[in-house]
Structure formats: structure tokens, C-alpha cells
Amino acid sequence: LGKQPWWKDATFYQVYPASFKDSNGDGWGDLPGLISELDYISDLGVDVVWVSPIFESPQKDMGYDVSDYQKIYEPYGTNGDVDTLLRESHKRGLKVILDLVVNHTSIEHEWFKRSRSSKDDPKRDWYIWKPARYDENGIRHPPTNWRGYFAGPTWTWDELTQEYYLHLYAPDQPDLNWDNDDCREAIYEETMRFWLDRGVDGFRIDTVNKYSKRRDFVDAPVTDPTSADQPAPEMWCNGPRIHEFIHEMHRKVLGPYNAVSVGELSNTPHPSQVIPYVSAAAKELDMVFEFSMIRLGNGNGFGAKYIYQPFPLSTLKAVTHKWQSFIEGTDAWATAFCENHDNGRAVNRFGDASTPEWWLKSSKTLALWQATLTGTLFLYQGQEIGMTNMPESWGIEEYKDIESGNFYAEAVESGDEKRIQATMHGLQIMGRDHARIPFQWDSSPNAGFSSADAKPWMRVHDDYRDINAAKQTNDPGSILNFYKYALKMRKEYRDLFVFGSFELLDPDNESVFAYIKESSVPRGLDGASRKALVILNMSQEEKVCLDIAQALGCLLTEVNLLIGTTGQSEVALKGGQPTLEGWEGR
Ligand code: TEU
């Protein structure tokens, strides 16, 4: 393998701070709470903690709307708490990365207040301002017909200076103008070096491919004639100067600080577009999150995101294969993940949460899938205990996310009962809220997230007495202990699982997901390389096991079971045939 950067075989663990652990009973998670659980995180066997945004913010989008990059949002704690977090983490051999949200700021940020104050303000050009268009009746329209990610137009009219400003997300999140040199320098200095100087190890970089907008500001093609606003990601994703900007960020900040970086790369489904961001020679980003897998089930077109589109297992397999093998023969690097704070829980989307038995079995099988994938592995808080989506019986009032609220409101406005129901159904599977409910620590009131008399900012799941970390810590057959074991195995056989190649078997099989990981490191006297066969039964039905020896091209006596979700060392024989139980993985 040669010498590899440390972050390649590291496992990252994402903490959503508002929902992880509340130390002071205000119902909102905080840094002292996170610090108090660092032993839990470290015992899991992960290497890096990624903390979602903790900066000063009006919280219109849960801190992805920053009003002061150098100050911690008071309910989370203080800058001093960050120092403690860094010290206590580093002591345990954990690194810490923060969430860097610099495509946009909050409207409450000083920069934007200055920018909107006058057309002559030196910071006017730090945001994207455009004059209105007027039709033949003198009615005012935005400069383009673009639809934003959270529904509605990407432009908001500002009375004071009589122009529109651009926002790809909420009107409270105006886009910064990266074409302005001073603006970029301020981002590097005030949002990045400030925290790197304090000892932060790197950043998860929000919406990293949207900094360079196309300069012509033209209308997007009309794909939805019923709407005033049209999907237009090609107007702002992977724009003309994007690689120049990211390379500059690397040269001026990430490189000199030796900071690890993982960028969020939505709307970029072609390997040829992804490679330039993560090729080592390009010196841009260490890693990115490519979205094809995490988007499975989303409806097409912006307005349709929450109209659920069922997909067959073969699609999940094909997408996994594509984003496992795209780095072969390149100097680029991959990531593996199936959860984050913007999506429903994996067991509800890719596993089976229909009964406690299938929940347990499928959560372990998903763990085995993730732990055997090539690239750097990212876990999301609660994934390791199989936390599930909010119950379907919970009404729309339990959904707090701005995107959920806006898409639901849009459906209601349409007056179309079918669309309202379909949107609710989609939200129940894919809503961003599911991942944001309080972490289930134990069976005490409020799941041990907050004190018993507190009112958590999101409702605690009804099932927390059955699904919680304390219970699973003491149960050798738990999902949590399976994760710990799987992460150890992943490290021990890193040449196979982290660095190995990926070969998909039987791509059309709609029940069994099987693949071979092969190491490039020769072993034994004959110089042959080690292989692992991963077989995951992604269905409730028993399935005849494929011919293991044949798949691996060796004798069955040469095959060892490294890990299995049932704890059985032998494959069960049913009617003389080796058989996998429902949702068994080996
Ligand atoms: O998300 C960016 C993004 O493009 C989406 O994945 C996002 O989930 C949204 O649902 C698109 O419809 C990042 C953050 O992860 C997200 O939480 C923020 O809301 C967003 O940026 C804006 O900062």
C-alpha cells in the first residue's frame, strides 16, 4: 500500500450537536454534552468527529445560516468549549472537523448587512445583486426563473436598494459572491484560518461545488410549466471558476495547515466531473460526498423531491458499484456513507424496520455493507444503534426542518389531495427531520438526551426504551457491538476493505447483494492477493448461498469466515443447500 494519508483508513462520525447530548436541560444539545460523550465515541472505534455547524446563527436552517463565524451559538456553548472539545478529543486520539458553510451566510451576518445597506458599500459586491425584470404590464419579476432548493424562487427583492439578491437556499441564506477577491480572502481568513489556528483538524465543506455561478444569469429551460420557478442546478453547480477557487483554497489554507477536507458534491453524477475535485495531483479536496446513493428514492425535479420513487435492489447495487470503482486507475479517493443529517435513516430506506427482528438483522447487514466498502467511511450519530425514522403516526407538526415545511406547504397550496398525501409519505421516508431527533442514550425520560423535565427541541422517539445506546452497550448481540467489531475488522484488513478493489457479482439479483473485495497486497509465498467475498441477503426470504469457492476461485477449505451478522460460523444447510437466513450478511 505504501505510505497513505491518515484519513484514508479513518472512520468519521458525524455529530448533529443540537440533538446529541444536552448538558444543561434547555432541550438543545451542546458542546459540554458532546464532550461528556467522547468516551462513547472513542469506544466505537472511530477516528474523527465531524461537528455540524455550531456558530452564531438565527437557526433558520439549523446553523447552515451563519451570522458570525468566530462565535459559538450560545446554546451550544462558547469558544472555550471548542478548545476543551479539541483538547479532550486529541487526548483520546480523536480528530475534530467543523462544518464550513461559505456558499452563503445568514442575512444577519455583518457582511450582508453592509452589502444590503447601499449600492456603494465596499461589501455590496460580496453578494450577488441584480436588477429586476419588468414585463409589458410593468410587473416586476426576478432576474431569472430559477427555483431554489427549499422551494420558491432563488431571488428576494430588497426594498432599500431596489435590487434582488441571490439565494440558492432560504431567503435568509444569501449567496456569497466568490468572484470577488476580497470576499474570498475574508472567507479564508475569518472562517477557516481562525479555527485552524485554534487546533481544528479540518472541515466538512458545505455545498462545495456551488461557489462559482455561471456569469450569464439566463433563464433555465422550462421543465415544469405549472411553476414560475424552474430547476436550474446547471446554472450554479461546477461553474466556470470552481476548480480555480477550490485549488486556491487548498493552496492558501488547507494545504499549509495540512487540514483534512471533505466536500459536499450534489448534482454531480459523472465520475469525470468528480475526479478533478479529488484527484491528489489537483490539490483541491481530499474527499467528497457524491450523492447518487443518498438520493435514491427522491423524486425527479426540484418540486418532486419528496414524491417517493421506489427503486429495486439492483439500482442500489449499480450505484454502489459505480462509486466504488470510479477511482480505479486514478489518484482520486472515495467515501462511503448511507446516512447524514439531510436524509431519512438507512434502516428505513435500505433495510427493513418493519419488525424488531428485521430491524436488528437488517441494521447489522447494512453495517457490514458499509464496513466493507472502499474509501473513507462516514457514520452518522445513531446509525450505530440502528436509530429509526420518526413513527408514521407523528403528524407534520413534528417536522421542524425548513425544507420539509416548505415542500409540504407547497403541496397544500396546490390543493391537490393526492399530492399532499404523497408528499407526507415521502417525508415519512426521506425527510431531513428523522436524523435530527434526539439521540437515544438510555431508557430514562427524554432518552437520556436531556434532563427528565426538559422539553427537547424535537420530540424524542417513542421507541427509545427499546432502542438506546445503554441497552446495546451491554448486549453482545447488539447493533452497536456489531459495529464495533466490524470497524475493527475493517482496520485490521484495511488492504481489502478500505483500499481493495470492488467487483459486483450477480448484478440483477434483486435479493442478494454480493461482491468481492480484492487486496493489491500480495500475501503468501505464491504472491497471490487476498480476497473477501461479501454476501448480503437484503430480503426477508431465505436465499440459497452462491457458490463461495467458485466465486473466489479457490477451495472451500481456503476460505475463512471473517464476520457474519448471525454469529453462526457455518452457513445453514436447508434441504442440503447452503442457505442465508433473511437479512443475513457474511
Ligand atoms: O446541503 C446541501 C444540499 O444540496 C442538499 O443535500 C440538502 O440536503 C437539501 O436538502 C437540498 O434539497 C447542505 C447541508 O447539508 C444542509 O443541511 C443545508 O440545508 C444546505 O447545505 C444549505 O446550507
Side-chain angles (χ1 to χ4, degrees):
L1 291 175
K3 177 129 177 62
Q4 295 286 349
W6 67 266
W7 40 264
K8 287 196 173 177
D9 67 359
T11 303
F12 286 58
Y13 183 83
Q14 182 187 357
V15 167
Y16 200 65
S19 306
F20 193 58
K21 179 91 183 180
D22 170 20
S23 73
N24 60 2
D26 64 357
W28 184 267
D30 47 44
L31 290 171
L34 165 55
I35 293 162
S36 74
E37 295 296 349
L38 284 174
D39 284 334
Y40 170 82
I41 295 175
S42 146
D43 285 350
L44 182 57
V46 302
D47 309 280
V48 186
V49 183
W50 148 25
V51 191
S52 276
I54 46 178
F55 315 106
E56 187 71 82
S57 161
Q59 304 293 336
K60 299 285 183 205
D61 183 21
M62 289 305 294
Y64 286 89
D65 50 324
V66 181
S67 54
D68 186 342
Y69 291 92
Q70 306 195 343
K71 188 169 175 284
I72 299 304
Y73 179 57
E74 215 180 287
Y76 284 131
T78 62
N79 290 21
D81 290 328
V82 176
D83 297 337
T84 310
L85 173 69
L86 293 172
R87 204 173 48 242
E88 290 297 319
S89 301
H90 291 159
K91 227 200 269 179
R92 290 167 174 80
L94 291 168
K95 296 188 194 291
V96 178
I97 66 170
L98 298 182
D99 217 307
L100 182 69
V101 190
V102 290
N103 173 68
H104 43 265
T105 67
S106 159
I107 44 169
E108 298 296 325
H109 196 286
E110 239 4 86
W111 296 344
F112 188 70
K113 289 186 185 165
R114 297 270 304 275
S115 184
R116 90 190 310 182
S117 69
S118 139
K119 283 186 179 167
D120 305 321
D121 190 275
K123 291 204 169 55
R124 179 67 172 183
D125 187 45
W126 284 33
Y127 293 82
I128 299 167
W129 294 94
K130 293 279 169 212
R133 289 192 293 190
Y134 291 91
D135 62 22
E136 56 277 16
N137 302 317
I139 310 273
R140 192 184 66 222
H141 295 281
T144 66
N145 65 351
W146 304 345
R147 178 185 162 94
Y149 285 98
F150 293 158
T154 58
W155 299 97
T156 290
W157 176 250
D158 203 49
E159 278 301 331
L160 184 68
T161 54
Q162 300 281 301
E163 279 190 327
Y164 282 92
Y165 64 87
L166 179 75
H167 51 85
L168 304 185
Y169 296 89
D172 298 80
Q173 294 167 294
D175 279 53
L176 285 162
N177 180 17
W178 276 69
D179 284 310
N180 181 298
D181 299 342
D182 296 336
C183 177
R184 289 201 310 285
E185 286 304 327
I187 290 169
Y188 302 151
E189 182 62 20
E190 296 180 35
T191 76
M192 300 182 76
R193 291 191 197 108
F194 178 82
W195 290 107
L196 292 167
D197 283 334
R198 278 185 108 104
V200 162
D201 299 293
F203 296 104
R204 175 268 187 185
I205 310 182
D206 195 59
T207 55
V208 78
N209 57 333
K210 302 185 172 60
Y211 301 161
S212 168
K213 276 76 176 171
R214 261 176 64 172
R215 301 313 292 164
D216 44 2
F217 291 93
V218 291
D219 277 341
V222 175
T223 49
D224 178 2
T226 66
S227 168
D229 314 311
Q230 303 298 325
E234 68 280 4
M235 299 295 168
W236 58 72
C237 287
N238 313 309
R241 297 182 68 189
I242 190 67
H243 292 293
E244 175 197 336
F245 293 159
I246 309 296
H247 181 68
E248 179 184 82
M249 179 193 265
H250 187 279
R251 181 168 55 82
K252 293 191 169 175
V253 190
L254 297 170
Y257 282 89
N258 207 9
V260 65
S261 59
V262 51
E264 191 202 24
L265 209 65
S266 64
N267 305 104
T268 310
H270 302 294
S272 62
Q273 295 171 292
V274 176
I275 300 268
Y277 286 98
V278 286
S279 147
K283 294 201 189 317
E284 293 191 16
L285 300 167
D286 294 329
M287 298 169 274
V288 291
F289 298 125
E290 195 286 325
F291 271 44
S292 302
M293 221 271 296
I294 205 77
R295 284 276 186 255
L296 288 177
N298 286 183
N300 289 321
F302 280 22
K305 179 175 176 191
Y306 289 108
I307 308 296
Y308 185 62
Q309 299 293 317
F311 54 91
L313 179 64
S314 52
T315 302
L316 177 71
K317 288 158 64 163
V319 169
T320 305
H321 180 220
K322 177 176 173 185
W323 295 104
Q324 281 286 283
S325 44
F326 87 104
I327 55 173
E328 273 167 30
T330 74
D331 65 349
W333 190 238
T335 57
F337 68 104
C338 65
E339 286 195 18
N340 60 33
H341 65 294
D342 289 334
N343 289 283
R345 289 292 186 173
V347 64
N348 294 82
R349 301 180 64 201
F350 311 118
D352 184 341
S354 61
T355 67
E357 181 196 355
W358 296 127
W359 161 77
L360 179 67
K361 290 183 173 168
S362 70
S363 295
K364 289 185 191 174
T365 292
L366 294 181
L368 189 51
W369 169 44
Q370 292 292 300
T372 54
L373 293 180
T374 302
T376 299
L377 178 61
F378 287 77
L379 304 179
Y380 179 73
Q381 70 179 42
Q383 181 180 342
E384 76 279 14
I385 57 169
M387 276 181 67
T388 61
N389 278 0
M390 312 188 306
E392 285 184 16
S393 58
W394 288 12
I396 189 69
E397 67 282 358
E398 303 295 353
Y399 290 70
K400 309 290 182 205
D401 171 37
I402 181 170
E403 183 171 286
S404 305
N406 289 358
F407 275 73
Y408 189 76
E410 200 174 49
V412 169
E413 264 162 47
S414 76
D416 177 347
E417 199 50 47
K418 270 214 188 106
R419 179 169 166 195
I420 301 173
Q421 276 171 23
T423 303
M424 192 64 208
H425 175 65
L427 286 172
Q428 286 169 342
I429 302 169
M430 306 178 293
R432 308 203 304 176
D433 304 84
H434 300 294
R436 304 178 179 190
I437 61 172
F439 190 94
Q440 291 152 217
W441 289 103
D442 56 40
S443 59
S444 68
N446 282 329
F449 159 72
S450 213
S451 52
D453 53 348
K455 189 172 178 330
W457 76 279
M458 277 192 84
R459 181 170 163 184
V460 173
H461 204 297
D462 304 339
D463 71 8
Y464 74 89
R465 287 180 202 82
D466 301 315
I467 302 179
N468 65 62
K471 189 172 169 190
Q472 294 194 26
T473 301
N474 303 322
D475 172 4
S478 69
I479 300 164
L480 178 62
N481 281 313
F482 188 78
Y483 260 101
K484 289 184 184 176
Y485 188 78
L487 293 180
K488 268 202 204 100
M489 172 203 72
R490 176 177 175 79
K491 277 263 157 82
E492 189 176 338
Y493 296 92
R494 47 167 69 74
D495 61 313
L496 271 175
F497 296 122
V498 178
F499 295 99
S501 62
F502 180 102
E503 181 195 347
L504 183 64
L505 303 177
D506 204 1
D508 302 324
N509 187 320
E510 296 295 358
S511 313
V512 177
F513 191 173
Y515 47 92
I516 290 180
K517 298 299 302 282
E518 182 166 0
S519 167
S520 62
V521 181
R523 73 184 259 280
L525 294 174
D526 60 357
S529 63
R530 190 178 351 232
K531 288 185 189 180
L533 171 65
V534 183
I535 325 174
L536 313 170
N537 180 0
M538 309 277 276
S539 76
Q540 294 182 357
E541 289 79 47
E542 287 172 1
K543 292 290 163 191
V544 172
C545 197
L546 48 74
D547 188 327
I548 296 173
Q550 192 193 28
L552 287 166
C554 64
L555 300 171
L556 205 49
T557 49
E558 294 177 286
V559 181
N560 296 314
L561 178 70
L562 279 182
I563 183 170
T565 57
T566 62
Q568 306 292 328
S569 58
E570 300 296 327
V571 177
L573 285 178
K574 291 273 163 70
Q577 297 261 53
T579 305
L580 287 173
E581 287 176 21
W583 284 105
E584 180 179 1
R586 301 172 72 87

